[in-house]
Amino acid sequence: MSRYTGPVCRLCKAEGVKLFLKGDRCFTEKCAITRGETKNKQRRGRPRAKMSEYGLRLREKQKLRRFYGMNEGQFRRMFGEASRMSGVTGHNFLQLLERRLDNIVYRMGLATSRSQARQLVLHGHFTVDGRKVDVPSYLIRAGAVVAVAENSKEVAIIRENAEVAASRMIPEWLEVNSERMEAKVLSIPMREQIDVPVNEQLVVEFYAR
């Protein structure tokens, strides 16, 4: 399946929840979900038909896949990896998704969205433990240091993002040094530390059907 290239706000409206695909716009009143909630309060419509069990699980899977900006093939392969690990499959899956390099860059505040983080990684602007890595799906281990490459610290978009990164919420499992433009992964995040608006068990049930 190819990557979706249309208006990302449509994806949020389709899932009925903020997926934070539009960067800073998602935190303003211009957000499609925020505008939609306002309009719904002003008008009444017919209730939607009850969703089937399959439909419920499909929507939850799509919501999670779109949240991290992955195509179906990548997503399914990572789920397969999570299912082979010991422990709770749903929690393993979320931890693998959070450990992706593009997600770490986004969580550091050096990109306004995961799609922008993916592009910055692909262009070779980041290093892991001092070695340049340009693979967005690269899995970061606990104790690793993700940093902006020395020759990329003057890139305009990275500097702009770094200036406002201090005002963004940084996960407690990351230790960010804004001046050096780097972050250390203190630990693999626990489920309660991952702010993803999904029920991962429904995703597990979708693939287990």
Side-chain angles (χ1 to χ4, degrees):
M1 180 183 288
S2 60
R3 191 176 300 280
Y4 177 78
T5 58
V8 294
C9 288
R10 286 186 180 180
L11 300 181
C12 294
K13 287 163 64 175
E15 304 304 339
V17 66
K18 286 190 180 187
L19 300 177
F20 301 98
L21 306 176
K22 197 73 174 180
D24 292 338
R25 181 189 178 95
C26 299
F27 298 95
T28 70
E29 294 182 355
K30 293 182 180 180
C31 170
I33 294 297
T34 302
R35 294 202 314 269
E37 290 174 349
T38 301
K39 290 181 180 179
N40 288 336
K41 290 179 181 179
Q42 297 173 348
R43 67 178 182 226
R44 294 180 179 178
R46 290 182 298 178
R48 292 185 178 182
K50 184 178 179 180
M51 189 176 296
S52 67
E53 291 296 314
Y54 171 80
L56 180 64
R57 288 162 176 74
L58 174 62
R59 289 267 56 86
E60 209 69 3
K61 187 268 292 186
Q62 292 291 77
K63 188 191 305 181
L64 183 61
R65 183 174 68 79
R66 289 167 171 172
F67 187 84
Y68 286 98
M70 299 170 65
N71 63 41
E72 181 61 31
Q74 290 176 316
F75 197 71
R76 183 182 287 272
R77 284 192 296 274
M78 185 159 282
F79 177 83
E81 184 176 346
S83 65
R84 292 188 292 272
M85 298 167 60
S86 61
V88 181
T89 299
H91 294 180
N92 293 339
F93 192 28
L94 291 180
Q95 288 176 337
L96 289 176
L97 293 170
E98 283 293 305
R99 288 172 56 198
R100 285 172 55 99
L101 178 56
D102 55 358
N103 180 73
I104 298 289
V105 170
Y106 170 72
R107 294 293 192 186
M108 290 169 63
L110 295 180
T112 58
S113 64
R114 288 178 177 83
S115 61
Q116 186 184 83
R118 186 177 306 109
Q119 185 177 38
L120 292 174
V121 171
L122 284 170
H123 289 177
H125 293 305
F126 288 88
T127 65
V128 178
D129 290 335
R131 183 171 63 89
K132 187 174 79 170
V133 178
D134 58 5
V135 180
S137 60
Y138 184 87
L139 293 179
I140 308 301
R141 60 177 175 77
V145 175
V146 177
V148 176
E150 198 60 38
N151 59 359
S152 298
K153 290 184 176 180
E154 296 304 319
V155 174
I157 189 66
I158 293 178
R159 290 198 63 82
E160 290 173 8
N161 291 340
E163 289 174 1
V164 298
S167 62
R168 295 176 183 164
M169 183 70 70
I170 304 297
E172 58 187 13
W173 49 276
L174 281 181
E175 184 179 73
V176 176
N177 186 320
S178 300
E179 292 185 0
R180 299 182 62 178
M181 296 188 186
E182 66 178 34
K184 182 177 182 180
V185 180
L186 300 177
S187 63
I188 302 301
M190 303 298 290
R191 177 59 183 99
E192 57 270 18
Q193 297 174 314
I194 303 175
D195 59 342
V196 179
V198 299
N199 181 342
E200 66 277 7
Q201 182 57 33
L202 294 180
V203 180
V204 174
E205 292 173 6
F206 174 85
Y207 282 121
R209 74 191 191 284

